[in-house]
Amino acid sequence: MGSDEPLVFRDLEINGGGATATATVRFGLVRDLWGNLLKVVFGTKLAVLFPAIPLAVAADFYNFGSAWTLGLSLLGLAHLAERVSFLTEQIAFFTGPTVGGLVNATCGNATELILAMLALHQNKIHILKFSLLGSILSNLLLVLGTSLLFGGLSNLNKQQTFNPKVANVSSLVLLLGLLCQMLPLTSRFASPSAKLWTDLFVLELSRTCSIIMLIAYLVYVFFQLKTHNQFFGLPEEEEDDEEMAIIGLWSSFGWLVGMTIVIAVLSQYVVDTIEESSQSWGVSVSFMSIIVLPIMGNAAEHAGSVIFAVKNKLDITLGIALGSAAQISVFVVPLSVAVGWCLGIKMDLDFGLIQTASLAFAIVLTLFTLQDGNSHYIKGMVLLLSYVAISFCFFYSNY
């Protein structure tokens, strides 16, 4: 028996060592997960908005009211939209600029895309159209206008310049999107007597134009990421500042999937409650969808764009504002029409007379603002005041 005791103790030591190693591995996983949580969720000043996410879920579960659910959901979406942008930047460190740029282009407007698909699924076409139109107007007038205003005021003694080639390409894409939206609208006014025939013609024309817009978007992405990526690259002084990834590739993908799911949940709350909340707040659905929703959804982009403009980095500012507006115009909008086509939902490109006119003037104002490659605060003020005027138009609207 005595000779067996060392074997027993040896087994206990081996087993004990294995248990210690397992505990160490588990502790390491928990530590890494906690570290990623702090970096991904709370590594931003917008982390103060994080409590709005569980509060929105609680407000919906306990029926606190549509107004509370909507307000908390919008605050949570503002935080999540900024974090999705952060995660796509982390992925770009591992995949290279081409694939990373494609991921960023796809996920850059994830909130608007998910909102659009959910509204389409519930056949709330008016909310879908209003929110997408509002996102374009917000980027062109509010985000770009505020950025040029504060950038000009912060650099009064400097000449603020930017690469006009980037602005010209994005503006051309926006003009194409505007044309494809104006054709169905003008067709409806061209033959107002035959309503059934006109509705069918507008729907078929919209679907055809959507295919054209999606083709244009693919060419735009190829142009931006492959053939002429030197136009859209960072300035030399930015390239010299090498940055390192904060989290790993698969961790970034995992967090991106998780946040996309949470965005879908909050977006569902928004679509479900926006009409009832508009009535309780005494404002029109168009104002809520065109003005309030995009402001909250673009809060992170808005802040980043202003910061870069203040630092006299207008090329990055234009990339944020114009790039997002162009993507919504020739990708998210036609994709909504195409998905509706597949689902048998009559989604068209007729956004309404006032809405399309507002979009047209916003694009024209942006073109005149950016045509000379220079900027000052007066340009930003004009864009911003134009957005205020359009906002009051929809505020006084009855729909």
Side-chain angles (χ1 to χ4, degrees), residues 81-97 99-110 247 249 252-253 255-256 260:
E82 191 274 338
R83 291 290 84 189
V84 167
S85 177
F86 163 77
L87 290 172
T88 56
E89 292 175 358
Q90 297 302 304
I91 293 174
F93 282 113
F94 300 94
T95 59
V99 178
L102 185 60
V103 173
N104 187 52
T106 305
C107 300
N109 290 296
I247 60 176
L249 174 61
S252 300
F253 271 115
W255 282 106
L256 184 61
T260 302

Side-chain angles (χ1 to χ4, degrees), residues 200-332:
L200 179 61
F201 175 77
V202 167
L203 183 61
E204 292 179 348
L205 178 60
S206 298
R207 290 170 175 174
T208 304
C209 288
S210 295
I211 296 175
I212 295 173
M213 294 164 75
L214 289 173
I215 294 174
Y217 176 73
L218 293 177
V219 176
Y220 173 66
V221 171
F222 185 75
F223 178 89
Q224 186 177 13
L225 301 180
K226 195 68 177 176
T227 62
H228 290 72
N229 56 357
Q230 67 273 15
F231 291 167
F232 301 88
L234 291 175
E236 293 182 359
E237 60 269 17
E238 291 293 318
E239 294 178 349
D240 294 338
D241 299 332
E242 294 186 1
E243 297 181 3
M244 300 296 293
I246 298 178
I247 60 176
L249 174 61
W250 294 111
S251 295
S252 300
F253 271 115
W255 282 106
L256 184 61
V257 171
M259 287 195 174
T260 302
I261 295 174
V262 179
I263 288 175
V265 173
L266 297 184
S267 299
Q268 183 68 56
Y269 294 160
V270 171
V271 174
D272 292 339
T273 59
I274 188 170
E275 292 176 311
E276 186 177 347
S277 299
S278 299
Q279 294 178 356
S280 63
W281 289 347
V283 295
S284 64
V285 176
S286 61
F287 178 79
M288 289 290 296
S289 303
I290 296 176
I291 304 302
V292 178
L293 273 182
I295 287 178
M296 299 305 299
N298 292 330
E301 288 183 342
H302 193 172
S305 179
V306 172
I307 291 173
F308 284 121
V310 169
K311 294 180 179 180
N312 202 16
K313 300 176 181 179
L314 289 186
D315 287 318
I316 303 179
T317 294
L318 294 181
I320 294 173
L322 292 182
S324 180
Q327 186 187 59
I328 294 172
S329 178
V330 295
F331 175 64
V332 181

Side-chain angles (χ1 to χ4, degrees), residues 138-156:
S138 174
N139 279 288
L140 292 181
L141 299 181
L142 177 63
V143 176
L144 184 59
T146 308
S147 300
L148 297 183
L149 175 61
F150 283 96
L153 292 176
S154 302
N155 298 273
L156 289 175

